[in-house]
Amino acid sequence: METSLVLTGIGELCTNDPRHDGLLGVVRDAALVVQGGTVAWTGPAHEAPAADAAYDVGGRAVVPGFVDSHSHLMFAGDRAEEFAARMTGTSYSAGGIRTTVAATRAATDEQLAANLARLVDEMRRQGTTTVEVKSGYGLTVHDEARCLAIASQATAETTFLGAHVVPPELAHDPAAYVDLVTGPMLEACAPHARWVDVFCERGAFDVDQARTVLRAGEAAGLQGRMHANQLGPGPGVQLACELALTAVDHCTYLSDADVDALAASGTTATLLPGVEFSTRSPYPDARRLLDAGCHVALASDCNPGSCYTSSVPLCVALSVREMGMSPAEALFAATKGGARALARDDVGHLAVGAAADLVVLEAPSYLHLAYRPGVPLVRETFLRGRALSR
Ligand code: NIG
Ligand code: FE
């Protein structure tokens, strides 16, 4: 029997477990028992069962680890100059992706793996315990496959995004690129990926190309997700709902029909407010989606172009300040919502049997995540019941 650990002295424990109070399943003056990497018990500290070891968190808040269901960490280089130009008036376009493609193709496997490890570590220190990682800056069979092979060493949540943009060498023949993506590239990438994604947007892929890519990915055993309605209105969200995809991400420009389709589907709308912050664009309307009964997730979209933040706490603060979410809705979306967007029921909550992935905040309440933006409130991150060294 593995040794058990009781975390005690938890001023406020957010479990997302419906057996406890409210949306976040809050227990005050709580304890949580971990055994074998999973949660074995939660409740009031005075009722906690005995355990082999105890750790007193001194009245701080404990929340589930963040589930960042959308990131692009397989890249080399950065685009700080593009960001600076944007801040003086140049607008964001999908074409900037090609700058990163050139840098990524030129990087060695070791350089790509080291950059990924650096960013995953940065995320862990900010409380992220599950991260999805996409390809999409290689755009050749070889470069997409090696990016996914490297990513799969770091996470089970890998996504083939060969259909990110048409690379410069095939700019004259997008149909040939879609054939490559759905043929040899998919074949080389599928063994390293769980998901298939497509950027359905002006300047990237249209809705027919998106459908072709998603169908081919699903036929190869991958599960579909999408980038849609990021830079303007379009048919992407409707396609995601029609195909019953697990998640459709961005959802910045939605018609009433899009919101109705999301509400009627099981598809999670993933909002990525770091993008709107970093591209100085209008934020998605989370309130409208929640009021319509849609499933909402929050994620970082960490990438070198539209949003180079790895901070889910920043996204929580932005969604509360700018998108009409309550602090509880934002934390739920960044944990249980992210897990739903990855079809995972073992993470994003701290009910008995879930992974003991959790965060001890340097704060008495989860409210501080939105109340104290930009402050490093993550005191300790536990992954499968073990505290990560800082
Ligand atoms: O999610 N939307 C497409 N892809 C990324 C941006 C990629 C880039 O600019 O490098 C995004 O915003
Ligand atoms: Fe993205």
Side-chain angles (χ1 to χ4, degrees), residues 25 35 69 93 105 107 123 179 202 230 250 259 307 361 369 389:
Q35 180 142 36
S69 64
S93 83
R105 288 177 178 177
M123 287 180 160
D179 287 346
R202 194 182 295 272
Q230 171 185 358
H250 287 286
V259 175
C307 178
L361 295 177
L369 288 167
S389 53

Side-chain angles (χ1 to χ4, degrees), residues 70-72 134 161 164 197 227 230 250 272 301 303 306:
H70 184 138
S71 84
H72 304 248
K134 298 176 200 300
L161 181 58
H164 198 184
D197 194 345
H227 283 70
Q230 171 185 358
H250 287 286
L272 308 162
D301 200 11
N303 75 76
S306 65

Side-chain angles (χ1 to χ4, degrees), residues 70-72 83 86-87 91-93 137 199 201 227-231 249-253 270-284 298-311 314-315 318-319 323:
H70 184 138
S71 84
H72 304 248
F83 174 78
R86 202 154 63 225
M87 293 303 109
S91 61
Y92 176 79
S93 83
Y137 292 117
F199 185 17
E201 199 80 40
H227 283 70
N229 301 55
Q230 171 185 358
L231 304 176
D249 300 6
H250 287 286
C251 298
T252 309
Y253 292 89
T270 306
L271 308 182
L272 308 162
V275 174
E276 282 74 31
F277 179 77
S278 303
T279 57
R280 197 177 278 145
S281 305
Y283 288 91
L298 273 179
S300 72
D301 200 11
C302 184
N303 75 76
S306 65
C307 178
Y308 201 7
T309 183
S310 52
S311 173
L314 173 67
C315 299
L318 289 174
S319 66
M323 290 154 51

Side-chain angles (χ1 to χ4, degrees), residues 71-95:
S71 84
H72 304 248
L73 304 187
M74 292 312 308
F75 67 88
D78 74 37
R79 283 158 45 205
E81 300 299 334
E82 180 187 312
F83 174 78
R86 202 154 63 225
M87 293 303 109
T88 52
T90 311
S91 61
Y92 176 79
S93 83

Side-chain angles (χ1 to χ4, degrees), residues 13-33:
L13 173 64
C14 300
T15 62
N16 291 341
D17 180 350
R19 291 187 319 116
H20 297 307
D21 278 353
L23 177 67
L24 296 178
V26 171
V27 188
R28 292 188 202 288
D29 300 320
L32 177 149
V33 178

